[in-house]
Amino acid sequence: MKLTVSGIEDGKPVSEKFAFGVFNEDDHMSFGANRSPEMIWDQVPEGTRSFAIVMFDPDVPSIADDANQEGKTISKDIPRVDFFHWLLVDIPARMRCLPEGEDSDGVTPKGKEFGGGPVGVRGVNNFTQFLASNPDMAGTYFGYDGPCPPWNDELLHHYHYEVHALDIETLGLSGEFDGATVRNAMKGHVLASARVTGTYTLNPDLPECQR
């Protein structure tokens, strides 16, 4: 299976237009265009009955107490965990493309609507937990919300955009399901997968070639 994410080259920086947060010299971070990228996949195996899109960052600090705190730095040596940015399942088997901006076009305070996306069914991303203490932003975040790593992190973050071809029409998920639930539901049903990985940072102290 082959995946093309328009505007994102494997191993290269993610364009700011796909980001939830962009670098701001005065305030460290401001909202980005937060557009979901165009996803094109082909070389699909026989027997595919649906697709699932998963996008996640495996470089999120497991201890986030110092995240985005003035005068503090998140060490690159802190253990890291997965942070899910996009969960879209039960995409019909006839689909081979999801256009840019189809699942997100701008930051939606308190999150996008429950359940149905442009196609398939949206899951809950981890901005739900990340923004829970912010009264202006707290809510349940469904579908796509792009990169927004801590601006004081010493580590360059990687964003894995994946498409999975499945041998079932539906994963049978509903309500506020998360990334771990999607991964568990896909077990034993994945016929093929494809991935494109982009990088992103809001830390101005990292080398410019990494920003």
Side-chain angles (χ1 to χ4, degrees):
M1 206 167 140
K2 181 180 178 182
L3 171 64
T4 300
V5 184
S6 299
I8 301 177
E9 292 184 56
D10 201 43
K12 301 293 185 180
V14 174
S15 170
E16 286 189 344
K17 70 177 175 177
F18 302 131
F20 185 98
V22 297
F23 177 70
N24 180 303
E25 188 172 352
D26 296 326
D27 301 319
H28 301 293
M29 190 275 288
S30 57
F31 290 140
N34 200 41
R35 289 176 64 82
S36 56
E38 180 182 54
M39 307 273 283
I40 304 169
W41 56 93
D42 57 15
Q43 300 177 23
V44 174
E46 292 290 334
T48 297
R49 301 180 68 188
S50 72
F51 299 99
I53 289 175
V54 176
M55 190 275 251
F56 69 99
D57 170 7
D59 299 317
V60 170
S62 57
I63 301 172
D65 296 350
D66 293 338
N68 301 326
Q69 298 296 309
E70 293 285 356
K72 296 184 178 181
T73 300
I74 299 174
S75 170
K76 63 183 184 334
D77 298 322
I78 287 178
R80 304 290 165 149
V81 297
D82 289 346
F83 184 109
F84 291 92
H85 284 261
W86 195 7
L87 300 165
L88 189 62
V89 305
D90 296 355
I91 300 169
R94 68 178 184 278
M95 300 283 293
R96 295 293 184 275
C97 175
L98 195 66
E100 180 180 316
E102 190 78 359
D103 198 44
S104 181
D105 187 11
V107 171
T108 303
K110 302 184 182 296
K112 288 182 277 296
E113 66 182 16
F114 170 81
V119 295
V121 179
R122 287 170 168 158
V124 175
N125 69 54
N126 285 124
F127 278 93
T128 302
Q129 293 77 30
F130 180 63
L131 297 173
S133 63
N134 184 330
D136 296 323
M137 298 295 291
T140 304
Y141 284 73
F142 288 91
Y144 179 89
D145 285 296
C148 188
W151 49 259
N152 60 341
D153 200 339
E154 292 182 339
L155 189 69
L156 180 68
H157 285 230
H158 297 76
Y159 295 85
H160 300 312
Y161 294 80
E162 299 179 340
V163 173
H164 304 276
L166 309 176
D167 64 3
I168 49 177
E169 290 185 9
T170 177
L171 289 177
L173 302 177
S174 61
E176 297 180 9
F177 60 89
D178 59 13
T181 302
V182 171
R183 283 177 171 171
N184 187 61
M186 289 196 301
K187 287 181 179 177
H189 297 293
V190 178
L191 297 174
S193 299
R195 170 190 286 184
V196 172
T197 299
T199 62
Y200 198 75
T201 181
L202 294 173
N203 187 343
D205 293 330
L206 288 183
E208 284 296 318
C209 65
Q210 296 184 344
R211 293 189 58 237

